[in-house]
Amino acid sequence: MKILALNALASIQDKGRFGFRGLGIGTNGVMDPWALQAGNALMKNELDEPAIEFALGAMEIQFSQDTCFCLTGAIYEAYLDDTRVYGYWRINAKAGQTLKLVRPLQGMYAYLCVQGGFDIEPVLGSASTNTKAEFGGKDGRFLQQGDEITLKTTPHTPLPVIGVARIFSDNDADAHNVIRIVKNSEYDCFDDASKMRLVQQNWKVDTSSNRMGYRCVGDVALKPIEDISMGSHGVAAGMIQVPPQGQPIVLMADAQTTGGYPKIATVIEADIGLMAQTRFGQHCRFELISMEDALEARQQRQHYIERIRRYANDN
């Protein structure tokens, strides 16, 4: 397929590159891993097949061969030629047809998954794009107008057009803004007032946020009981660091491998996609839960993906 037009931040991503953080190589991967898995399950692909991740802007893609595709994650106004395309629906496209992604209607990061997947040479076991080190994906960079991306040469078999429900319904808007967290190693280094503020006040996702981290701005800053001096140590996506100014940063998919700020909490694995879908300028709230509830929430997400896989395979 060929990218005819593009003003969105788009890249090739899969679930990420694991096992190399000790060497200073970040995980990268999709911002919303549950949306990627839902798309691949709908396509009957392996759940880790790479997809095109795009954020906020518009894009036009021309298919160079017959294939089946779906859009997941953020809800987009999209058309296949002149026919409206809806998210979480499996659609068949003919060679020469153009997919037009006009604008996001809800959420931040959307995913284009294709039947059989994209033919991307893995680097260190992953197709994910590491734009800092410039490897993986399409030449280690964000996608550009004119790029051609090859699909795997699996025989195309038209699939029945089916759709599945999203994790959250459009009517459950409040749920999008509640991000569940668990305590992290420096939680008890903060005073009681800060612990209350963490979960009671609204946090606006600052426009300076990116794939490395979401800066959350609240009316009142978080304060440790006493000054905390920490050496640089290993960190990972989901951890909530608190810099000296007291406005927390949620580490995201392109997070650095080490950091020196105290970590008050961690976004649970089940909700890291919800965090990613919170638009810059929008507010969210944090809800502190137990580790047992976090594990149960992850299991519920996994059951959701498995239900899609069974439904897709039966149709």
Side-chain angles (χ1 to χ4, degrees), residues 25 34 44 60 62 83 85 93 102-103 106 114-115 121 141 143 163 200 209-210 219 266 305 312:
I25 300 172
W34 301 108
K44 300 186 178 184
E60 289 187 16
Q62 186 175 55
T83 302
V85 172
V102 180
R103 61 189 175 100
Q106 185 179 41
V114 296
Q115 184 181 16
E121 185 69 26
R141 58 168 172 75
L143 299 177
Q200 289 187 345
S209 301
N210 54 32
D219 292 336
T266 297
I305 299 299

Side-chain angles (χ1 to χ4, degrees), residues 200-213:
Q200 289 187 345
Q201 74 177 355
N202 289 326
W203 297 96
K204 184 173 75 172
V205 178
D206 192 73
T207 53
S208 63
S209 301
N210 54 32
R211 280 182 48 92
M212 284 189 68

Side-chain angles (χ1 to χ4, degrees), residues 190 222-224 240-249 261-264:
F190 289 83
L222 306 181
K223 294 181 180 179
I240 304 177
Q241 293 183 315
V242 183
Q245 72 270 27
Q247 305 290 356
I249 300 172
Y261 296 139
K263 307 173 296 298
I264 192 170

Side-chain angles (χ1 to χ4, degrees), residues 296-311:
E296 183 178 348
R298 182 179 66 178
Q299 192 172 48
Q300 290 174 354
R301 293 282 190 272
Q302 291 170 334
H303 287 165
Y304 165 77
I305 299 299
E306 185 57 32
R307 287 198 300 272
I308 295 177
R309 190 212 294 267
R310 287 201 300 268
Y311 179 62

Side-chain angles (χ1 to χ4, degrees), residues 219-298:
D219 292 336
V220 184
L222 306 181
K223 294 181 180 179
I225 297 173
E226 57 186 28
D227 290 341
I228 301 175
S229 178
M230 301 180 65
S232 187
H233 54 275
V235 295
M239 292 181 177
I240 304 177
Q241 293 183 315
V242 183
Q245 72 270 27
Q247 305 290 356
I249 300 172
V250 181
L251 300 183
M252 302 302 287
D254 282 355
Q256 70 279 16
T257 57
T258 61
Y261 296 139
K263 307 173 296 298
I264 192 170
T266 297
V267 173
I268 68 170
E269 185 177 350
D271 283 3
I272 193 67
L274 284 177
M275 187 78 239
Q277 298 296 357
T278 305
R279 285 191 181 187
F280 303 158
Q282 287 186 336
H283 289 82
C284 68
R285 287 186 293 114
F286 295 119
E287 178 187 1
L288 188 64
I289 65 171
S290 67
M291 185 61 71
E292 290 75 17
D293 287 343
L295 294 174
E296 183 178 348
R298 182 179 66 178

Side-chain angles (χ1 to χ4, degrees), residues 44-58:
K44 300 186 178 184
N45 294 340
E46 295 295 326
L47 298 182
D48 196 25
E49 280 292 337
I52 295 179
E53 177 186 271
F54 48 98
L56 290 181

